[in-house]
């Protein structure tokens, strides 16, 4: 029972363009959503979060959008840089505990 | 970064043998978690702890046990390893409010 889904296993974009990573969830009780970034042989690192009372949160080049009615969130990276190439995990929880993760999307930013 | 270390980093073991993975934190966080990462599944919660001697099951707890005798250490034990437990295991602590979890660097376990 995968409550958080990332349907695109991979995404390739050109340097300088926008990267859009998508995530869908099924549990309407989730009220806290996060994105993590993971490089090979390292643990995931926190990138950005959003609570259910907001529909947008921005941090530099990274913006997360939340559409509660569609149970959908997305991560926008503008402009994309080669160093952004990594696996991105979407996560959701009720509160900040028992966090559920998606399967991840591998982003490749080409110079 | 937050002080969280996992040991060992890599381990190869035989089916049927017991294995213990260690997670050590220096941040005095109350909550600690064990996840496994597998292709197509992302990260799945095995067990978590909300204090010394206080633990609970996650979504994939079968075949695993945990112990937390000190705040800084959270141990994950595979009583009798199986090939399906070949995975990368991550320990995490709850970071600052709104900051999500902080993960260790992972343990790659291979059961042959």
């Amino acid at each position: 029972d995968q409550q958080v889904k990332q349907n695109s296993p991979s995404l390739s974009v050109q340097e300088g363009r926008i990267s859009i990573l998508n995530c869908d969830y099924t549990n309407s009780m989730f009220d806290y959503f996060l994105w993590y970034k993971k490089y090979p042989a390292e643990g995931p690192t926190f990138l950005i979060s959003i609570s259910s009372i907001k529909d947008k949160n921005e941090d530099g080049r990274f913006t997360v959008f939340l559409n509660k009615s569609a149970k959908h969130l997305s991560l926008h990276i503008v402009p994309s840089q080669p160093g952004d190439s990594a696996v991105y995990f979407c996560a959701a929880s009720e509160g900040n505990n028992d966090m559920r993760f998606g399967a991840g999307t591998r982003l490749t930013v080409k110079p | 970064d937050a002080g969280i270390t996992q040991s060992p980093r890599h381990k190869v073991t035989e089916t049927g043998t017991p294995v213990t993975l260690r997670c050590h934190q220096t941040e005095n966080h109350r909550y600690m978690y064990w996840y496994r990462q597998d292709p197509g599944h992302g990260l799945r919660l095995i067990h978590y702890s909300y204090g010394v001697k206080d633990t609970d099951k996650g979504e994939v707890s079968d075949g695993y046990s945990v112990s937390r005798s000190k705040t800084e250490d959270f141990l994950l034990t595979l009583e009798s390893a199986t090939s399906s437990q070949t995975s990368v295991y991550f320990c995490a602590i709850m970071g600052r409010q709104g900051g999500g979890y902080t993960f260790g660097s992972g343990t790659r376990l291979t059961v042959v």
Side-chain angles (χ1 to χ4, degrees), chain A residues 49-90:
Chain A
S49 64
I50 188 168
S51 73
S52 58
I53 61 173
K54 295 185 176 181
D55 54 19
K56 177 183 175 181
N57 188 28
E58 193 171 351
D59 184 2
R61 296 186 297 113
F62 302 91
T63 303
V64 56
F65 295 92
L66 175 63
N67 182 334
K68 290 186 290 293
S69 61
K71 294 191 178 70
H72 177 83
L73 67 155
S74 61
L75 174 69
H76 292 210
I77 306 173
V78 184
S80 301
Q81 300 173 353
D84 296 329
S85 296
V87 176
Y88 289 79
F89 290 101
C90 169

Side-chain angles (χ1 to χ4, degrees), chain B residues 32-103:
Chain B
M32 297 184 75
Y33 307 85
W34 275 108
Y35 282 86
R36 60 179 287 175
Q37 184 198 358
D38 303 289
H41 291 280
L43 294 124
R44 292 179 292 175
L45 181 65
I46 305 170
H47 281 280
Y48 67 98
S49 170
Y50 45 95
V52 173
K53 291 186 171 47
D54 290 324
T55 64
D56 207 346
K57 296 179 179 180
E59 58 181 311
V60 290
S61 60
D62 287 348
Y64 301 95
S65 62
V66 289
S67 65
R68 182 117 179 254
S69 60
K70 298 185 289 185
T71 299
E72 57 266 34
D73 289 324
F74 191 30
L75 304 181
L76 176 71
T77 297
L78 291 66
E79 301 291 345
S80 178
T82 67
S83 58
S84 65
Q85 293 175 312
T86 292
S87 186
V88 181
Y89 292 85
F90 288 101
C91 176
I93 55 177
M94 183 183 291
R96 57 179 171 83
Q97 185 65 30
Y101 295 175
T102 299
F103 285 86

Side-chain angles (χ1 to χ4, degrees), chain A residues 1-2 32 34 36 38 41-46 49 89 96-104, chain B residues 9 31 33 35 37 40-43 45 48 59 90 94 96-101 103-105:
Chain A
D1 174 27
Q2 202 154 9
Y32 190 57
L34 308 91
Y36 288 82
K38 185 184 180 304
E42 296 182 9
T45 56
F46 169 74
S49 64
F89 290 101
N96 194 20
N97 205 11
D98 192 9
M99 201 164 293
R100 301 298 177 107
F101 288 79
Chain B
R9 289 297 311 273
Y31 282 83
Y33 307 85
Y35 282 86
Q37 184 198 358
H41 291 280
L43 294 124
L45 181 65
Y48 67 98
E59 58 181 311
F90 288 101
M94 183 183 291
R96 57 179 171 83
Q97 185 65 30
Y101 295 175
F103 285 86
S105 298

